[in-house]
Amino acid sequence: TFDISSLLREHIRTMTPYSSARDEFEEVSDDFIFLDANENPFGTATGEKYNRYPDPYQRAVKEKLSKVKHVPTENIFLGNGSDEPIDLLFRAFVESGKDNVIILPPTYGMYQVSAALNNVELRKVSLTESLDIDTEEVLNTIDQHTKLIFVCSPNNPTGNSVSVDRIEHLLNNFNGIVVVDEAYIDFSDQESFSQKLDQYPNLVVLQTFSKAWGMAGLRLGMMFASKEIIRVFNIIKPPYNINQLTQEKALECLDNEDKVKEMVSVLISERERLKDELSSLPRVKSIYPSDANFLLIQVEDANNDYDKLIKSNVVIRNRANVLLCDEGLRISIGTKEENDKFIEAFKAL
Ligand code: PMP
């Protein structure tokens, strides 16, 4: 059985959150005068209305997001990118010098950085040769102090989705939290784990507005989890973690999901085109299956290709020395024109 409060770090269980006089109000209304938060009453130097603190709980954004994602508002936490909830997961659950977390390399780099920042023991269980979870090895690596397992699906940097059965096997057999990072889910046919929150109290799902939604510069990440976990996150988060401009832009973009779907479908067809073009080139040894907006390819000499591409002003990601990505290069899918330029530069190497 899963008991969230016994999983939390001890001092977090009794913490009181920062409070403001405005906690009861959803929006700054014209009926009140607000002399409680030491703001500037006039506006910005450029005359814009960013002088008020934003809604700390982003209620309007969550209402709209709830409909788009089919997740109740009480199960949603928004962060300054999904990197913020990743860090808060450590701060909420993992005690330095006592607890540990598990990652499944090769995977997204921030789990390790957050573990290091929080001075927490990190255990690594490599993905299998077929780039799936080695569930037996993960379960062998867990002990009573293991708090989090990070599963990235579709996985960065390989691009493939891991199998749903194996993630569920971990959820069923681990008493800590399984974090399923779905930053790239919009580019795959997989159903989101956000629809399984009722089934698994120890499930945390991460998504982001940085990829399919095209909002990386605005920094907005989503976490879906049980109401109990969300309640704790609302206590420990920085009070105004999502700024006013980001909340406004998110509301506008959420009204335009059709446009997002259109961009995603262009990116997927460009991904498939790029895959076809690359597979005909002798210098490409293999192409990893991708459910994401990037391709990982294997070449003869990744460092050499990477350096030469930079000289022709094309920047990709060098994964030459990453586990299971030997001589790997990771290429984000760009516009048709950008992809053509990449192919041209790559052919000219
Ligand atoms: N998770 C994965 C798997 C990612 O690849 C990234 C970004 N590269 C993130 C999370 C973080 O995204 P953001 O903080 O922009 O939401």
Side-chain angles (χ1 to χ4, degrees), residues 53-308:
Y53 284 102
D55 176 5
Y57 301 109
Q58 311 95 25
R59 282 163 274 220
V61 180
K62 284 179 189 168
E63 287 292 334
K64 269 194 188 170
L65 185 60
S66 170
K67 297 196 178 83
V68 169
K69 295 289 179 182
H70 310 288
V71 174
T73 54
E74 316 88 72
N75 298 94
I76 304 175
F77 175 83
L78 295 176
N80 187 348
S82 37
D83 288 341
E84 185 175 41
I86 290 171
D87 185 59
L88 289 175
L89 281 162
F90 280 89
R91 297 217 239 164
F93 293 109
V94 197
E95 192 66 40
S96 174
K98 178 175 157 217
D99 296 331
N100 64 77
V101 307
I102 295 178
I103 65 167
L104 314 175
T107 195
Y108 180 47
M110 273 311 284
Y111 317 138
Q112 177 153 8
V113 171
S114 264
L117 178 62
N118 289 286
N119 199 18
V120 156
E121 185 197 342
L122 184 76
R123 299 184 178 180
K124 299 181 180 181
V125 179
S126 161
L127 292 177
T128 62
E129 284 293 321
S130 58
L131 305 174
D132 210 335
I133 306 174
D134 188 340
T135 43
E136 204 182 310
E137 195 52 37
V138 173
L139 294 178
N140 285 336
T141 304
I142 286 165
D143 64 19
Q144 80 217 64
H145 297 297
T146 306
K147 293 298 184 75
L148 310 171
I149 302 174
F150 286 94
V151 178
C152 189
S153 185
N155 187 44
N156 179 7
T158 53
N160 63 294
S161 301
V162 303
S163 62
V164 171
D165 291 353
R166 294 187 188 198
I167 298 175
E168 295 200 310
H169 189 70
L170 294 183
L171 283 161
N172 283 319
N173 291 281
F174 173 50
N175 262 330
I177 289 174
V178 178
V179 184
V180 182
D181 186 342
E182 299 183 334
Y184 301 98
I185 188 84
D186 304 278
F187 304 101
S188 86
D189 294 330
Q190 301 274 326
E191 196 201 348
S192 169
F193 266 78
S194 64
Q195 302 308 301
K196 297 179 193 258
L197 289 176
D198 288 340
Q199 244 170 295
Y200 300 110
N202 58 337
L203 168 65
V204 167
V205 179
L206 299 174
Q207 290 189 14
T208 180
F209 282 90
S210 298
K211 313 293 175 187
W213 289 82
M215 290 166 52
L218 288 165
R219 311 303 302 129
L220 189 60
M222 300 161 250
M223 183 179 97
F224 307 117
S226 72
K227 287 176 202 161
E228 290 72 25
I229 294 177
I230 300 298
R231 202 173 295 137
V232 172
F233 270 57
N234 283 334
I235 292 172
I236 67 172
K237 79 186 189 72
Y240 306 107
N241 60 327
I242 310 297
N243 71 69
Q244 181 66 25
L245 185 60
T246 298
Q247 294 193 38
E248 286 168 11
K249 290 291 164 193
L251 285 172
E252 287 172 30
C253 291
L254 283 165
D255 282 336
N256 292 279
E257 201 196 358
D258 288 355
K259 179 70 195 170
V260 173
K261 289 191 169 145
E262 218 176 284
M263 293 191 284
V264 166
S265 103
V266 170
L267 289 169
I268 291 174
S269 74
E270 278 297 295
R271 176 185 77 202
E272 297 309 305
R273 179 176 77 90
L274 201 60
K275 196 189 321 182
D276 286 347
E277 298 230 9
L278 287 170
S279 63
S280 69
L281 302 180
R283 64 181 317 112
V284 176
K285 281 162 59 186
S286 70
I287 303 176
Y288 290 60
S290 175
D291 268 350
N293 66 337
F294 57 83
L295 284 175
L296 183 69
I297 65 172
Q298 206 163 39
V299 293
E300 292 288 345
D301 187 346
N303 289 324
N304 174 65
D305 290 3
Y306 176 79
D307 290 341
K308 284 194 173 146

